[in-house]
Structures are given as C-alpha cells and as structure tokens.
Amino acid sequence: MVAMNTPPPAFREPTPVERFFNRGMGFLVNIGLAPSHMQLLEVRGRKSGKLYRTPVDLLELQGKRYLVAPRGRTQWVLNAEVAGEVTLKRGSTRRLFHLRALNDVEKLPILQAYLDRFRKEVQRFFPLPAGSPAEVFRDVANTYPAFELLQK
C-alpha cells in the first residue's frame, strides 16, 4: 500500500498477467457470463477511430450509474473524454451513455462506494483501505477519473 503522502501515479500500467485476465474477463462479459456488475465498455479511439473494448465495474448508487478508472488516466478514459460517450455491453444488450465527468468533491462518496463494493478487484490501486470514510479520498480524488453515465 502507498503511504498517504505519496500520491499514486497518473496511470497504473497493467501487468502481462492482468492483461491476460482482462481479455478473459472481457470475453465472459461479452457473452454475459461474468458477475452482474461487470460490463464491456466500448469506445472509439480518439486518433484511430478504432473500437476499443475493456471490462469495467459499473457502480450503481442511489439510482445513478458511475464509472471509475482505478488505474487512473487510462486509454479508455482519454478516448471517452474525447468521444463524450461510451457503450456498455453485456451479452447481447448494448446501452449508449453520455458521460459527465465528476469534480473532485463529487467523487468522494463515489470513490468510497466503488472501493467498498469492488475491494477485491481494485484495492491494490488505492492507497486507502476499503471502509475508509469518504472525506479521506479528498487527497487522491484527482488521480481517479470518474463519470456519471447519462442514458442517451
């Protein structure tokens, strides 16, 4: 775990094992066999126009949907910011969403809920333990892109 006075890096590169696992999980989400909170995020490349896919944990909280990038400013984040929208796919169901980037204050309860709900998958990306109060995320909120998904 990173000490609180050491900010996490802007992007946490996946290991070869994590890349392999993500491909396998992406396949399972694509055919609808992964855990119910997992979705396959589809977004167009900001330069290439190519369609990219990556599995993500969809946070549903108080009737709203959120995406958090625990690895920081990943390629999907950069592409989604340019596109302004993403498609979430699970099995044969596809849903198109507009993105609304959350400011650092709005992120606090979202980051807390995300870490608490998906701690097994994402704890290694956070310098704070699951179960921490929302206000302690203030010092690291700017390193975790987060978006509210708005139905298109």
Side-chain angles (χ1 to χ4, degrees), residues 22-37:
N22 281 344
R23 275 190 223 108
M25 190 54 70
F27 173 77
L28 292 174
V29 174
N30 191 44
I31 61 173
L33 294 179
S36 62
H37 67 272

Side-chain angles (χ1 to χ4, degrees), residues 69-88:
R71 291 184 180 276
R73 296 190 58 74
T74 63
Q75 291 300 313
W76 79 255
V77 169
L78 298 172
N79 290 333
E81 287 173 337
V82 170
E85 63 186 27
V86 297
T87 298
L88 294 184

Side-chain angles (χ1 to χ4, degrees), residues 11-23 71 124-125:
F11 171 65
R12 295 150 202 85
E13 185 76 32
T15 66
V17 170
E18 289 171 328
R19 280 192 195 99
F20 176 78
F21 178 76
N22 281 344
R23 275 190 223 108
R71 291 184 180 276
R124 68 187 178 278
F125 304 120

